[in-house]
Amino acid sequence: EVQLAESGGGLVKPGESVRLSCTASGFNFNKAWMSWVRQAPGKAPEWIGRIKSEAHGGAIDYAAPVKGRVVISRDDSQNSLFLQLDSLKTEDTALYYCATDEAALANGFVFWGQGTMVTVS
Amino acid sequence: DIQVTQSPSSLSASVGDRVTITCRTSQTIINYLNWYQQTSGKPPKLLIYAASNLQVGVPSRFSGSGSGTDFTLTISSLQPEDFATYYCQLTYSPRTFGQGTKVEIK
């Protein structure tokens, strides 16, 4: 069974940084492209960025609204995905999800975690 | 970046109704569009990928159509568990989501 578990959220102050983790199991993580998505309360999901597998060069794309403040990385030996977001603003308050990203197959985000909440206040 | 416009933002329907939701993109995306369903407190669930392909395990009352810039999600006969919010999403990067359509009980 595929499982994704996010952690690292909490209450943070404006200007601080947060590092989120996503631990994967039940599939070949090292072959997976992974994305981070956030969703502010009552709003549509917002894609943050994607990291390809090492077999596809490990390329990373970021959404324009967070580019320059965000770093996505992965540790395939630990089946883990990471998101660091710096210079936090109140508008970064959201539930942060990791998801498997099957764009290489013209597919969508098939598997999602339950999310970790980040509150900036 | 490609802009996505989803409509309507909400609709009221009854069990058994046929429901249609539309997404329009600012540039042609061929068929690189997905549809998701989200119920309260849960992550989005993939329903349709590549505009018209039903994800494994999704009931056949859901269907997707369209290409180029205009896309449609159709629920042929609305069931009680289908009252939810629906989003379209580009497969291109940035993987933009639509604004959402909330399907409510009439």
Side-chain angles (χ1 to χ4, degrees), chain A residues 53-108:
Chain A
S53 63
E54 286 303 319
H56 287 92
I60 307 170
D61 286 334
Y62 298 118
V66 294
K67 203 167 187 177
R69 296 195 296 129
V70 65
V71 175
I72 293 174
S73 59
R74 64 190 298 160
D75 182 345
D76 290 345
S77 69
Q78 298 293 319
N79 285 355
S80 294
L81 176 72
F82 305 101
L83 171 74
Q84 173 144 343
L85 187 59
D86 299 325
S87 303
L88 285 164
K89 310 172 185 180
T90 55
E91 51 264 41
D92 293 318
T93 294
L95 187 60
Y96 285 72
Y97 296 103
C98 62
T100 60
D101 185 337
E102 299 194 8
L105 302 174
N107 204 333

Side-chain angles (χ1 to χ4, degrees), chain B residues 52-67:
Chain B
S52 61
N53 294 274
L54 198 65
Q55 180 64 13
V56 170
V58 174
S60 58
R61 62 181 180 274
F62 291 93
S63 64
S65 64
S67 65

Side-chain angles (χ1 to χ4, degrees), chain A:
Chain A
E1 180 191 4
V2 172
Q3 292 193 336
L4 296 169
E6 303 91 342
S7 60
L11 177 63
V12 292
K13 296 185 186 319
E16 293 184 342
S17 298
V18 69
R19 179 176 167 86
L20 307 179
S21 301
C22 168
T23 302
S25 62
F27 65 102
N28 289 327
F29 180 78
N30 63 338
K31 295 183 179 180
W33 296 15
M34 300 294 297
S35 272
W36 283 100
V37 177
R38 68 183 180 183
Q39 189 168 27
K43 301 294 186 182
E46 178 187 18
W47 176 76
I48 299 172
R50 181 216 60 222
I51 185 167
K52 295 183 179 180
S53 63
E54 286 303 319
H56 287 92
I60 307 170
D61 286 334
Y62 298 118
V66 294
K67 203 167 187 177
R69 296 195 296 129
V70 65
V71 175
I72 293 174
S73 59
R74 64 190 298 160
D75 182 345
D76 290 345
S77 69
Q78 298 293 319
N79 285 355
S80 294
L81 176 72
F82 305 101
L83 171 74
Q84 173 144 343
L85 187 59
D86 299 325
S87 303
L88 285 164
K89 310 172 185 180
T90 55
E91 51 264 41
D92 293 318
T93 294
L95 187 60
Y96 285 72
Y97 296 103
C98 62
T100 60
D101 185 337
E102 299 194 8
L105 302 174
N107 204 333
F109 298 169
V110 178
F111 298 105
W112 297 66
Q114 292 302 307
T116 186
M117 187 69 197
V118 174
T119 303
V120 184
S121 178

Side-chain angles (χ1 to χ4, degrees), chain B residues 83-96:
Chain B
F83 292 96
T85 302
Y86 295 84
Y87 298 98
C88 60
Q89 183 212 21
L90 303 181
T91 305
Y92 282 138
S93 188
R95 317 266 267 133
T96 305

Side-chain angles (χ1 to χ4, degrees), chain B residues 14-77:
Chain B
S14 301
V15 172
D17 284 353
R18 182 181 181 89
V19 168
T20 299
I21 299 168
T22 297
C23 270
R24 175 166 289 175
T25 59
S26 59
Q27 302 173 37
T28 182
I29 58 168
I30 311 176
N31 69 338
Y32 290 111
L33 188 106
N34 310 306
W35 290 98
Y36 297 83
Q37 175 195 65
Q38 188 175 30
T39 54
S40 183
K42 294 189 176 181
K45 173 188 174 184
L46 181 65
L47 299 175
I48 302 284
Y49 66 94
S52 61
N53 294 274
L54 198 65
Q55 180 64 13
V56 170
V58 174
S60 58
R61 62 181 180 274
F62 291 93
S63 64
S65 64
S67 65
T69 60
D70 293 296
F71 301 87
T72 300
L73 173 69
T74 300
I75 310 172
S76 60
S77 178

